[in-house]
Amino acid sequence: MDEETEKLWRAALGVVDHAYAPYSQFKVATALCSVSGRIFTGVNVENAAYPVGSCAETSAIGAMIAAGEREIRSIYILGDGPGLTTPCGACRQRLHEFSTPRTLVHVGGREGSRACFSMNDLLPHAFVFERDVQEQSSSST
Ligand code: THU
């Protein structure tokens, strides 16, 4: 693992046991590095009303946005299971919002990184809100 990925892995390891997953028993932690080099972490937070629970990626993105940052340079998703925990479909769209074609998405477990993807690998043809883009560009001319 390169230095940045190792930092993210350690940060995710540091919080994974705080995940609140009494229903699935499947703890997930995420650590992301913004373009400015700051690290933000998140864990999954489940709920008795199952759909109300949130993914680890969601809380890490929320922490980054609350700190005034908008761009993810790399992210590590640590799933506490035997298989590879790749982000769920909804989280792929959430991550896409704050990613660039250079953003690296590492996935792995407590033992370290096992695979790395680009956002385009994970979500080709992602939804973008074109009307917004057009309004912004026409109002700036
Ligand atoms: N989970 C995440 O936190 N991130 C993902 O990308 C995949 C799934 C959580 C949601 C739920 O609390 C548990 O894993 C089992 O689905």
Side-chain angles (χ1 to χ4, degrees):
M1 275 192 287
D2 63 83
E3 201 181 319
E4 184 169 307
T5 312
E6 190 169 338
K7 263 195 197 169
L8 292 177
W9 170 60
R10 287 189 192 287
L13 261 184
V15 297
V16 67
D17 288 324
H18 300 160
Y20 179 72
Y23 303 103
S24 70
Q25 305 292 334
F26 190 75
K27 293 186 170 192
V28 183
T30 287
L32 67 81
C33 182
S34 66
V35 271
S36 73
R38 291 178 69 185
I39 291 180
F40 300 95
T41 56
V43 294
N44 54 333
V45 183
E46 297 186 347
N47 192 278
Y50 289 5
V52 178
S54 56
C55 286
E57 293 89 328
T58 309
S59 31
I61 289 170
M64 178 186 78
I65 297 299
E69 304 248 5
R70 293 284 163 90
E71 194 179 314
I72 303 169
R73 190 161 71 201
S74 62
I75 179 166
Y76 187 98
I77 300 162
L78 190 157
D80 206 10
L84 210 55
T85 302
T86 51
C88 76
C91 284
R92 291 176 195 212
Q93 183 70 37
R94 286 192 187 97
L95 291 171
H96 180 270
E97 187 80 16
F98 305 106
S99 295
T100 71
R102 296 169 304 286
T103 300
L104 298 175
V105 182
H106 303 274
V107 297
R110 288 181 190 257
E111 74 289 347
S113 178
R114 290 176 54 193
C116 180
F117 303 98
S118 70
M119 260 329 292
N120 195 54
D121 291 331
L122 295 172
L123 190 65
H125 312 290
F127 175 71
V128 287
F129 197 30
E130 296 290 356
R131 193 192 64 181
D132 225 22
V133 172
Q134 278 158 16
E135 276 179 2
Q136 275 173 16
S137 57
S138 59
S139 63
S140 63
T141 53

